[in-house]
Amino acid sequence: MSAFLLNRLFQSIVLLVIVSIIGFTVLNLMPGGPLAQFGLDPGMTQKDVERLAAQLGLNRPLWIQYLDWAWRLMQGDWGHSFRDGSSVLAVIGRHLLATLLLMGTSTALAIAAGTWIGIRGATHRYSLFDYCATVGAMVALSVPTFWFGLIGIYIFTLKLGWVPAGNMYTIGDGSVLDYLHHLILPSMVLSLVHVAIWSRYMRTATLDALSQDFVKTARAKGVSERRILLKHVIGNALLPMITLAGMQLSSILTGALVTETVFTWPGMGRLFLDSLGYSDYPVVMGLLIFSAILVVLGNLIADIVIATVDPRIRLA
Amino acid sequence: MTKGSATTSSYSRRDALRMMAIGGAAGLIAPNLLGKPAHARTPTKPTGRVIVGLGQEPTVFNPLMAHIEVDDGVHFSVFDALFRIDPQGVIQPNLAVEVPDQKNGGISEDGLKWRIRLRDDVRWHDGKPFSAEDVKFTLELITSPNFRSWRTAGHALVRDITVLSPTEISWRMEEAFAPYLSFLTETFIVPKHILEKEANPNNAAFNQAPVGTGAFKWGKRVAGDHLELVANTEYFGDGPHIERLVFKYIPDLTVLYTQFKSGDIDLVGQPYITPDHYVEAKTLPNRVVTLLPRTSFESFYLNLERPQFKELAVREALYAAIDKEAIIQGLYYGVPTPTETFMPRQSFFFNANLTLHQFDLNRAGKILDQAGWAKGADGIRAKNGVRLSFSNSTTSGDPLREQLQQFLQQTFAQVGVEMKISNLPAAVMWGEFWMQSQFDSVIVGSSYLIGADPDVTNRLHSRSIGAKGGRGSNNAQYANPEVDALLDKGARTFDPEARRAIYSRVQELVRRDLPFLPLYQSNSVEGLKKGINGFVPNGNTRTESWNALAWYWAS
């Protein structure tokens, strides 16, 4: 196990270095840059822009900028945002909780609903429920999330007045109930696509488990269908789901770009879009590295959990 | 007429009436705007809260650091400048007790020596007294080599700053520069006693929790969501009348409008309600929706160093081939106002006698025929091996401008001109591509003025061509010796009538030379809840919140 972890750690470091070099190069090679936002200001002259570029160190050769950034990162300094001067870790920290709240809720909803729909679809194959679930999943996967978001706001906010149009809480309130009230619509909308994905995977995994010999044996022994499902099928069907959940860990934390925008949710997704829009290189690089670490971690955790759950798999 | 600064002019009756007609109610109540609402029944103590919805997030709170328009709303509320500019473009005292000019001796006859008297009743939000030392510190910080300051134009000319007393300061200008007074209306004074202790003012804690002298104190910021300012009850002027001022960040314009409809925000700030929602917005109950003139103007901007555009005949033909009326009515829902110049029509310096544009495809064709641009086998005109073909760029993701491009592409094709559309993201578009004139043509909406001063040296002087090593943003690469001379003269002239003649002539020449094809002056569709009083637009500032201290809820 320790050899496995060491090997994984080495691979992860190499991966992070490669990701950072590619990310840094691509970002800095893009025309425009962080000072482009001043191009339309009648009082900002070309000389002002050049002065700012020098003060931010943007006029140095790219490889020196990269080495400087990497050296600081190794010392725990993730840099400072070009936009507001805050440290990158502080910027990420400010948005992390909002994303965790939204993505955590919607993922929990998606797993619960998706698992149930998938199992029921598999056990009631070709029933009306199964057809409805299949069509529903196709619709949820095909239609853009922002459309669901806008339709949701139109119906449930503007027409029915049940839920707020967006925002994480009411300014000046911020009680637990208020947070929950604001969570309803965005988490439901965001979970739609994940319900679709989970239910499809779960249906396939359940059908696969149902066709296994041990199920046939259990049936031949006269075990009840309910017991077969609970004891033999669901446990086996959930195994591939663990890998899926591990892979989704990074997306859970890096947020939902579109949903956060439609619902004015101050999370990581919107931070990423904003930072990219302003070419705020330190924050974009910070998010990139953060996300890469999560991908590596997610996969590692999934491997370990699977090995623990499934005795046939051993990590060497 | 005062002999002093360009913008402290008193206006003729005709001017005043014209501006009042344009500004409507704004013009009538404007004289009382700077802290004292025109209507009575303001609350005796700050009451209630106003939430302003913004499309971009304010992130730069040190007003001297490089920032964008949306940050101004915070700066105007938390800080004070020496002067303020009112909706008519008249400069009023703020931290100073009077506006210096040559008549009252604040500015010497040669325009080189400036002397400012300051208020003695101003305190910083932490209770420390404000003094001339703070002004000196601020002006020096701006030109400090390691500080990431915003605009340095004008400030770089200041020499020998002397604190004469806690309430009096003087300095010498390297050369006479009339626009400086206007620049000072956008130069907010920062506290010396806090910032002088900082080893690196670029990363100072102050930048995340600023201390000013303004009508509102820093409250708290929830990054990516909103920031909250609270009333400064010790403010030296009248106001504030609301207890809390909240800037809420809503990046999607449709969502911004939806939250205005649903009542989540009280007032729509930049970038305001989009034109396609204007008609519906006017019908919303308990909302006041109006068109407010802005100083930015939209143009079909040309790179005059491209061989296709060097000849005036080509530029004239292209202008004649633009159906401005159809564009404004058909594409922009009648919201903007057609214009022939870069000067806002509300400006004292606006030239109303410029030749009016006429859409005439036949005339466009004839101009090109006469100039020797003949159609080739492919239907595109050419002359001396140069095809009348070019690309046009604007920021991608702007559906109205994209429609405008398609519309122009079709009409230009009818006179044998090929226009290819090549759009770019904003972060790419306004970088080197724009600043170093790497484009053929662009559709751009931009302001030409700083504050209300008519000086446009940065945009139109041949010395300001960035692509040729110049200092400014004359990205059309326009060069006209007469315009250069006029701009040089205008910057040295303090008498407003003399300046009016100078800048009227500049507008005439630019209209004749067409370095860009003027489309329209922008109007913003402003929306606020009924019951908010004291809100007045001011095209001479970059923010709708310039006078938030005067806002109050009807009781």
Side-chain angles (χ1 to χ4, degrees), chain A residues 44-53, chain B residues 152 435 466 469-472:
Chain A
M44 288 290 270
T45 64
Q46 178 71 22
K47 295 290 173 215
D48 280 329
V49 171
E50 285 166 13
R51 171 179 53 81
L52 286 168
Chain B
T152 55
M435 295 291 275
R471 286 194 63 91

Side-chain angles (χ1 to χ4, degrees), chain A residues 31-32 36-43 45-46 48 51 55 83-84 94 167 169 171 262 264 270 274 278, chain B residues 49 56 59-60 145 147-152 208 221 223-224 226 248-249 259 427 434 436 458-459 471:
Chain A
Q37 55 182 319
F38 302 120
L40 289 180
D41 187 325
T45 64
Q46 178 71 22
D48 280 329
R51 171 179 53 81
Q55 286 170 338
R83 285 179 73 200
D84 71 0
R94 283 179 203 145
N167 309 322
Y169 57 92
I171 294 169
V262 172
T264 344
R270 234 175 60 187
D274 284 356
Y278 285 102
Chain B
R49 177 187 70 192
Q56 288 175 295
T59 54
V60 180
F147 182 59
R148 287 180 210 149
S149 53
W150 191 34
R151 306 159 171 170
T152 55
Q208 296 303 318
R221 176 187 179 210
H226 74 276
K248 168 82 184 158
Y249 165 47
Q259 295 211 7
W434 165 247
Q436 292 293 321
N458 263 351
R459 295 280 200 213
R471 286 194 63 91

Side-chain angles (χ1 to χ4, degrees), chain B residues 61-326:
Chain B
F61 309 119
N62 182 332
L64 305 184
M65 293 185 77
H67 63 270
I68 55 173
E69 279 183 326
V70 78
D71 300 306
D72 279 6
V74 181
H75 301 161
F76 270 88
S77 302
V78 174
F79 295 92
D80 287 299
L82 292 175
F83 315 107
R84 269 191 284 215
I85 192 153
D86 73 14
Q88 284 97 346
V90 179
I91 293 178
Q92 308 278 1
N94 186 8
L95 289 172
V97 291
E98 66 179 0
V99 178
D101 56 34
Q102 289 165 320
K103 196 174 173 185
N104 65 22
I107 300 174
S108 63
E109 280 299 316
D110 59 5
L112 296 178
K113 293 199 180 74
W114 291 49
R115 193 181 179 108
I116 315 281
R117 291 194 300 119
L118 305 168
R119 298 180 70 111
D120 61 1
D121 56 349
V122 181
R123 287 190 173 270
W124 293 101
H125 293 157
D126 61 5
K128 298 277 194 307
F130 156 81
S131 83
E133 290 290 350
D134 295 305
V135 180
K136 181 171 190 276
F137 177 81
T138 298
L139 296 180
E140 286 173 345
L141 183 59
I142 291 170
T143 49
S144 166
N146 295 322
F147 182 59
R148 287 180 210 149
S149 53
W150 191 34
R151 306 159 171 170
T152 55
H155 300 295
L157 298 172
V158 175
R159 304 278 184 279
D160 308 332
I161 305 171
T162 310
V163 172
L164 303 169
S165 78
T167 56
E168 204 162 6
I169 187 167
S170 70
W171 63 76
R172 177 175 68 80
M173 300 292 287
E174 187 65 23
E175 59 187 68
F177 187 58
Y180 193 50
L181 200 58
S182 196
F183 287 20
L184 286 174
T185 65
E186 296 186 350
T187 305
F188 295 96
I189 307 300
V190 297
K192 179 186 177 188
H193 68 278
I194 295 175
L195 280 168
E196 72 177 345
K197 293 174 192 153
E198 296 288 345
N200 181 0
N202 297 311
N203 296 332
F206 170 87
N207 300 344
Q208 296 303 318
V211 173
T213 56
F216 292 90
K217 295 182 187 182
W218 185 256
K220 66 170 179 179
R221 176 187 179 210
V222 178
D225 193 71
H226 74 276
L227 70 87
E228 202 169 310
L229 306 179
V230 293
N232 172 14
T233 50
E234 309 296 317
Y235 189 60
F236 60 84
D238 280 332
H241 305 295
I242 50 172
E243 199 179 359
R244 282 170 199 281
L245 174 63
V246 179
F247 294 99
K248 168 82 184 158
Y249 165 47
I250 303 164
D252 186 277
L253 300 195
T254 307
V255 179
L256 179 67
Y257 175 63
T258 306
Q259 295 211 7
F260 174 61
K261 269 169 84 172
S262 66
D264 288 86
I265 57 171
D266 302 314
L267 197 151
V268 186
Q270 294 170 45
Y272 311 102
I273 296 168
T274 50
D276 52 328
H277 286 125
Y278 174 49
V279 174
E280 189 207 58
K282 280 193 295 186
T283 64
L284 294 175
N286 298 315
R287 303 286 188 279
V288 183
V289 173
T290 41
L291 284 185
L292 304 175
R294 305 209 71 204
T295 53
S296 68
F297 115 100
E298 188 98 347
S299 66
F300 193 91
Y301 200 87
L302 307 168
N303 182 353
L304 300 189
E305 285 298 315
R306 294 285 190 265
Q308 302 92 316
F309 301 132
K310 276 189 183 287
E311 205 175 330
L312 177 61
V314 171
R315 307 197 293 269
E316 281 178 341
L318 288 177
Y319 197 36
I322 294 178
D323 189 352
K324 225 186 256 193
E325 193 56 26

Side-chain angles (χ1 to χ4, degrees), chain B residues 317-461:
Chain B
L318 288 177
Y319 197 36
I322 294 178
D323 189 352
K324 225 186 256 193
E325 193 56 26
I327 291 166
I328 290 172
Q329 296 304 328
L331 296 181
Y332 285 86
Y333 303 86
V335 169
T337 311
T339 188
E340 300 296 338
T341 177
F342 54 85
M343 192 72 75
R345 77 184 40 239
Q346 290 70 33
S347 168
F348 176 70
F349 303 96
F350 174 72
N351 184 341
N353 302 314
L354 299 175
T355 310
L356 285 179
H357 162 268
Q358 279 184 326
F359 168 60
D360 188 340
L361 281 181
N362 288 332
R363 190 171 147 259
K366 273 183 196 153
I367 295 172
L368 291 172
D369 287 340
Q370 283 165 8
W373 290 85
K375 280 189 183 173
D378 58 356
I380 306 302
R381 291 174 187 270
K383 181 181 174 182
N384 301 332
V386 177
R387 283 178 87 235
L388 200 38
S389 167
F390 55 87
S391 68
N392 180 262
S393 310
T394 195
T395 40
S396 45
D398 184 333
L400 288 180
R401 279 198 187 145
E402 282 163 3
Q403 285 177 43
L404 168 61
Q405 285 176 312
Q406 288 157 18
F407 185 81
L408 290 176
Q409 191 178 43
Q410 287 168 22
T411 40
F412 287 164
Q414 290 177 46
V415 288
V417 176
E418 183 182 53
M419 183 179 112
K420 296 168 194 158
I421 298 171
S422 169
N423 292 340
L424 297 163
V428 177
M429 180 89 195
W430 308 120
E432 283 198 349
F433 182 74
W434 165 247
M435 295 291 275
Q436 292 293 321
S437 305
Q438 292 166 356
F439 55 87
D440 286 347
S441 71
V442 295
I443 291 174
V444 57
S446 57
S447 295
Y448 275 55
L449 310 187
I450 299 174
D453 196 89
D455 179 47
V456 285
T457 302
N458 263 351
R459 295 280 200 213
L460 293 170
H461 201 291

Side-chain angles (χ1 to χ4, degrees), chain B residues 526-539:
Chain B
E526 182 63 70
L528 65 158
K529 275 185 188 163
K530 248 179 205 163
I532 297 178
N533 290 306
F535 173 84
V536 176
N538 185 345

